[in-house]
Each structure stands twice: as C-alpha cells, then as structure tokens.
Amino acid sequence: MNEGMVSADDGATHGDLERSVSAPPDQADVDRTLSHEEFDPKGTLALILVYFAILVGMWVFMYFVEFLGNGLTVVG
Amino acid sequence: MSTGSGAATFVDRYPEEASIVRQAFFVAFVAFGLGALFGVIQALHRTDILRFIPSTDYYTVLTAHGVLLVIVFTIFFLVGLFQWAITRSFDRPVEDIRITKAWLALMSVGSVVTGVTILLGFVDEVGISADVLFTFYAPLQAHPLFYAGLAVFLVGTWIAGADWFRSWLAWNAEHPDDRIPLQAFVVLTTMLMWYIATIGVAVAVLFFLLPWSLGLIETVNPLLTRTLFWFFGHPVVYFWLMPAYLLWYTVLPKIAGGRLFSDPLARVVFVLFLLLSTPVGIHHQYLDPGIAESFKFIAMTNTMFLLLPSLLTAFTVVASVEHGARQRGGTGLFGWLRALPWRDPAFTGMMLAGLMFAAGGFSGMINAGMNINYLVHNTLWVPGHFHLTVGTAVALTMMAGTYWLWPQLTNRRLYSRPIGLLQVVVWFGGMALMSNAMHVSGLYGIPRRTAEPQYQGFDFSTAFGSVAELNVQLAIGGTLLFVSALLFLANLAFSWGNPTTSGLGQTLPPALSGPDDSPRVLDNMRLWAAIALVLVALAYALPLGAIVADSGLFGPGGDAYPVTVVLNSVAVTAERLTASVGATLADVGGVLEVIR
Amino acid sequence: MHIHQYEKLWLGLSLLLIVGFVATVTYGAVGTPAISMIGDDGDTLNPNAIDDHPEFGDPGVEKVGESEYAAYVVARQFMFQPDPIVVPANTTVTFYVTSADVIHGFSVVGTNANTMVIPGEVAELTVEINDPGEYGIVCHEYCGNGHHGMEGLLKVVPADEYDGGDAE
C-alpha cells in the first residue's frame, strides 16, 4: 500500500452513509454474541412455514384450476 | 500510511490475483451493459411500445441478449468470484499466474469471437450471422465462428477449473488433516458439476455442429443435438446459481452481522447439486417427440428432488441472517427483521434477490411438473421464470456482492451507497413488474421468443385485464431494469475516481456449526464425482441410445438452414471479421490496461 | 452431524412437498382423463422427403373411426399446412405434426394442446374436442427471422356442418 492512502478510520469526510460497506469489519461490536446452542431460529421457522403454505396453495391452484381446468387435455 | 480498523484487503495481500478478478469482472460488466441494452430494446419492441429495429433483427438482439448475459456476464463473474474464493479461503497465491492469465485470455477470445459473430447479424453486407439464440437448435445453422468461439470459451473454463483443483492439491499437501474451507468446497463441487455438464455441449459442438457448419458432415440429428444441449442446459443454470449461493452462504451472514448457521448442511447442499443437476435435463424436453414418456417421468422425479438443496438453503441462509439480526439486538417472531442493515445495498440486494428466488422457485416447480408443462411450455411464462432466477437471484446477488467486494479488490470506496441502494430496489421493482406480466401472459398462451405481440388470425383471450395492459407493464419493468443496470455500472465507474484508502478489508466469520461437525466423507471429491457420473449415465444412456437407434447419429436427413445469407466471398468476410475482432480486442486491451 | 431440530422439521416438510408434487403429477398421468405425454410412438422420416409421404405429402384431416379423426399437419418456415385445420365438434382428434425444415412449435392457443415439432420426428397428440369454436395456433419455437408470422387456425365446426373433406 502506498503512502498517499487514506485510512478508513480518519474519515470525518466519510460519514456512515458513505461507508462502502455497513458490515462491521469484525464481529466485535455486536450487541450480544449468540452461540449455536443458545440460538433457535424461530423467526426463520415461522417465515419458512408461511412460504410452505404459499407453495402448497399456489401449487394446488395452478395444477387443479389453471391446468386441469384448461381445455383440450392431451389424452394420447 | 495509517492502519484503519479494517483488515488488509484482498488486493493488499494478493495483488496479482486481485487483478485477475477485476479483469474477469470487467468483461462480465461490459457484457452486462450490452446485454441490458439489448434487453430493453426487446422489452420495448415486442410490446410495440417503441421500435427502432425491423422485427427480423429482433432475433439478433435476442441471441446477443441471451449469450452476453447468461454465458459471458454470469460465467466471467463466476470465474472472478471463484478465483477470489479459492485464493482467499486457501490463503495462498495461485500456483502459476501464467496459467491463470491463459484461461482468462482464452475465455475472453472465445467470447469476443462468438459475440462479434452474433453482432455481425446486424450488418447484412458482411454475410455472417448467428441468429440461432442461446439454444442454437439445429438444423438452424450459425456461422462456424459462433461454434468455434464457444468451444474456445469452454476450454478456457476447463483450464480455470484445473487451475483451482491444482490449488486445492497444493494446499492439501500442506494441510493433509484440514477440512476443505467452505468457499473452496463450493468452487470444487461446482467445477466437477461443470466438467460433467459440459460433456454434452462439447460433444454437440465439436462432433456435430462445428463440422456440420464447416461442411465436413452433411446432416445432424436435430433431436440428438438438442438433447445434448439440454444435458448441458440444465446444469448450466446451477452453474449460474452457485456464485450466488457462495455469496449467500459465506458473505451474506457476515453482512447481516451474524454467522453461517450450519457449515455441514451447506456441504450436503453442494454435494446434492453436484449429484442431481445433470440427470434432469430432459425436463426441458417434456414435449419433445421421440423421447419416451418413461424417461420424462424419471427426469421429473429427479428434478423434484433437486428442489431439496434449494429448500434447505432457504432455511440455512435465513437462519444465518436471523442470527445476525438477533446479535444486533433484534427480537420477536418477525420483529428481528427490523434490526437488519437495510441501508446497505449489498445486504438489501442479496435479500431481495433471495426473495425473488423464492418466487422463481415456485414457477420453476410448475415448469418441472411434467404434464402441467403443457400449460406453460414455450410461453412467456418461461422467461418470466428465469428472469426471477438467473435474472434476479443470480444477477442481483452478483451486483450486490460487487458492492461488498469491489472496495476490497481496488482499495477504493464505493462511489455512493444510496445510489447502490436505489439501484437494487429499482431492479427488484422493475423485475416484479416485468416478470409478473410475463407469467400472466404465458398463462394466456402468448409465446416467448417472438418479435410481435399479436397475430393476424386470432386474439389472445384474457381472464382479466388486457394484453395491452400486460405489455405496458412488461415494458415499464424492462425500462426500470435498464435504468438499474446503468446505475450499477455508473456507480462502479465513478468509484474508480475515489482515492485509495487503507483498511477496507473484511474478514468472514466462522460458521456457528463448523465443518468438524460433519463427516469427512463429504470432502471426498472423487466419490461424489463418481456417483454423479453414474447417475448421469443411468439417466441418459437409454434416452440417447433410443434416439440414435431411431434416427441415427446423423439423423434421418434434411438440409441445414443457415441463418447466414452469404453475400460476399468467404475471403472478404474473413478479412472483415478479422479486422473487427482485432479492433474489439484492441479496445478491450486498452481498457484492461486501465483496470489492471 | 449436528442438525438443529427446526432444520430436521424443514427437511421433513421439504421431502413431503417433493413427494406431494410427484404424487400430483402421477395423479394427472393416471387419473381421469389420464394426461399423456408426447412420446416416442411417432415414426421417423426424412424431412426432405415429406412431399412423397403418403400422409404428410397432402396434409389434412381424415376420419379414422366412429367419432375419431386424424389431422396430419406439416410445420414449415413460416406456416402450418393445412390452414385452417377443420374438425367436427364432439370428436377425438389425433394430431400428427412434423416439420419440413427446422424445429418448430405447435400450440393451440389457450389450451393444453402443445408440442415441439422436430424435423425427422412425428409428434402425436390426441385430444377430445367438444364445443364448436375457433382457436389460434402458434409456432412457439424460434424458427428463423419470419418466426413471428407463423400462425394457423383450428376450426371446430358443428358435426352437421362438417363437409368431411380436407380444408385445402
């Protein structure tokens, strides 16, 4: 790296909005640290169950209404 | 130089490799810009909103759009990202930079030759054309240079894969007891899949289409070359997707402030992709005469099981993001979503891409459903589907990933985060409109791949709304996507004007459940490659055998239908082509000097 | 291998979804009416010799049973022959579609009657046609720079108005 480089830290000119990335460079400044044992992804489970319900509903609609309800079924 | 809070960047540690990554990204983004331009021309033309080409040239535009975006843009981004991932995760320089430069050069030359051959379709006087679309189905015949460029490009990707396997072997010799880092694991399994997949297209091009276009063989078997294309044509969609998955699994959790939920399950997912991506290609041929229903049924069940790794990915990736949200103080069953860094274009871009992949996953399930394929086959539904998958899940993740990665490749900040955020949101909005209009139009029976929105003898009947309204929706969506593409490219170009800054490096946190929680057999590349080959043989030996038995290796006869109208002598065309290829290469070379 | 219990649950649901999809498709294939896929029953032929073919040489509709008709259709750049295809209502029609040149598509717009048309192969699809009416037919696979003009018409006429002959 050359001498003319500006450090990412001495950046009064580079406010937060101008940071090219928002992720902390390391994980030090998180509110709390959750290990695998103490983290149950219950929000993920809720979201994915909603997705599952949408998939099933849409599949039934597409297959039985849109497709089987369409004319000229190929039977041979 | 003062040191910032951040770590050293990739370019600080591996300047030569970073240069390769930048050059690959540069080619990808040039192709992206051109492809996006051709995209908006189509969106406005086929909806009859604004036309400035004759409808016969629509197919030149369509061929260029397809090849530039799904071959050049996606795969150049892939090789750049994979080079970064291999170097970063093995933490070692390439074994021989000359080899690395050689494959990038081969891929570039192949792309330029094929690309120029396609674009010459606009200039009738030259007599060279390749208006055969991305699928180049025989007996439509492109100029030989189209196939030759494709072959050179493929060889380049094969050497790239060999280069990465060589890095793995060298690393393994020094770390015989270590687990393969996850990023390298993704690269290696993906490239094994690529080697298997490209057998199909390589045989089709080298043994049939190229010799046929040169006049060395009289005829080809259209069903055989088409089946060989789809042998390659489905795994290639996973080839596009794996860079996005690499970013979702290894970068997105970090940006969200969390850690990957499960490294072992990630490995299972990528092994499943290696095993199942190829023996499914016949699902693109559900309505092909000459392939027995039983083979189609087998392809259907394989395809449905191929949903599994993507469904597992949905859980693991969202759980990793939730982990980040909860570490950032998020609470509640859904309230944690508010604790996420939505102002970061890298984060929001990847999340919106993932959301669209969930929707595209559904329309893909319909495509995969064998008999329900009658409803949507070759209608506008199909491009509606793949603009959600490759057009958003892949492309938007690549753009979002670039926002995160580019500063680490250049030591320069991104020009503007707010513009980046606007860009990813506009892409999402534009695609929501365009893809919705395409899906609905498809259900009304409007075909894909055609220059005209209406026919002379009949009208499309709609359940609600009108075809004209859908066309307007499609055109607005396509225009927004083009604006978004320009914003992306401009943001990146202006970033080059930023001063170099130190300390922009980012580290990636280890997974919550690390690789040591998974059985070592997952890292046995030989085993998975062997099983994948067996599955491919089981899925394809009988159908290919039946096709050859029915109509022969070279088909039952029939003429070639060159899309080229030869107006000049071969010598003149060759001269002009050489000149234009040379000029293009010189231009590319000039810009590459700057990027480097 | 540690797998979180929620992930095990999701793995189970995913497999259930996959099995459900396969079951639905299978139901469609064996239910009533049983939806059949385009298969490999059709003959192979040389597309250059189509004009000498006993059926495709003069494509058209033939009566082959009590209420069964066979429609021989040739797709070529950039039209379908015959055009229009005329069949009587309340019959079972089998379309035999082949190509004289490149790959085409044959789709009766707004219906599930849809097939690829590949030179050298004969696509065979049987449909039950009830009410009289008119359907557009489009080629849905790119077949050259006049592709967007390639269309046809399927006319279903009342049985008493059907003249029994070729439309051409």
Side-chain angles (χ1 to χ4, degrees), chain A residues 6 19 22 32 44 51 63, chain B residues 322 326 344 358 371 417 502:
Chain A
V6 194
R19 290 288 297 256
S22 67
R32 52 183 164 167
T44 300
Y51 182 52
Y63 200 94
Chain B
E322 183 184 354
R326 301 223 181 261
D344 179 1
N371 36 38
R417 251 181 46 168
S502 71

Side-chain angles (χ1 to χ4, degrees), chain B residues 97 361 534:
Chain B
I97 194 77
V534 169

Side-chain angles (χ1 to χ4, degrees), chain B residues 504-556:
Chain B
L504 293 176
Q506 298 256 324
T507 53
L508 296 176
L512 281 173
S513 168
D516 293 332
D517 292 340
S518 68
R520 288 197 77 96
V521 66
L522 283 172
D523 289 11
N524 188 339
M525 295 293 156
R526 267 202 197 88
L527 173 69
W528 302 121
I531 297 177
L533 279 169
V534 169
L535 289 177
V536 169
L538 286 176
Y540 268 104
L542 291 176
L544 286 174
I547 290 168
V548 174
D550 279 355
S551 45
L553 267 182
F554 299 99

Side-chain angles (χ1 to χ4, degrees), chain C:
Chain C
M1 209 164 139
H2 305 300
I3 301 182
H4 193 279
Q5 52 176 349
Y6 292 173
E7 267 183 320
K8 285 181 186 154
L9 173 63
W10 178 239
L11 177 65
L13 285 174
S14 299
L15 287 170
L16 189 68
L17 194 69
I18 289 167
V19 171
F21 288 161
V22 174
T24 318
V25 172
T26 309
Y27 162 80
V30 300
T32 325
I35 302 157
S36 166
M37 298 308 294
I38 309 288
D40 60 349
D41 321 329
D43 295 333
T44 58
L45 49 81
N46 182 343
N48 283 356
I50 258 184
D51 292 340
D52 304 326
H53 190 275
E55 305 292 351
F56 292 111
D58 178 22
V61 179
E62 290 170 14
K63 185 166 184 169
V64 292
E66 182 56 31
S67 61
E68 289 170 18
Y69 289 79
Y72 290 86
V73 181
V74 173
R76 62 172 80 222
Q77 291 176 328
F78 296 99
M79 60 175 157
F80 294 102
Q81 298 169 307
D83 183 28
I85 302 167
V86 184
V87 295
N90 298 309
T91 55
T92 303
V93 178
T94 301
F95 294 95
Y96 298 88
V97 195
T98 194
S99 166
D101 40 45
V102 301
I103 294 183
H104 296 280
F106 174 88
S107 169
V108 182
V109 174
T111 79
N112 293 336
N114 189 341
T115 183
M116 296 304 301
V117 184
I118 299 177
E121 310 286 333
V122 178
E124 198 180 314
L125 63 162
T126 302
V127 297
E128 281 160 11
I129 293 185
N130 298 325
D131 301 327
E134 269 189 17
Y135 299 91
I137 296 173
V138 296
C139 169
H140 61 45
E141 185 55 81
Y142 168 67
C143 56
N145 62 16
H147 164 59
H148 43 268
M150 184 162 168
E151 59 174 298
L153 209 57
L154 173 64
K155 280 189 180 175
V156 183
V157 299
D160 51 351
E161 289 174 29
Y162 185 67
D163 63 7
D166 241 71
E168 283 192 320

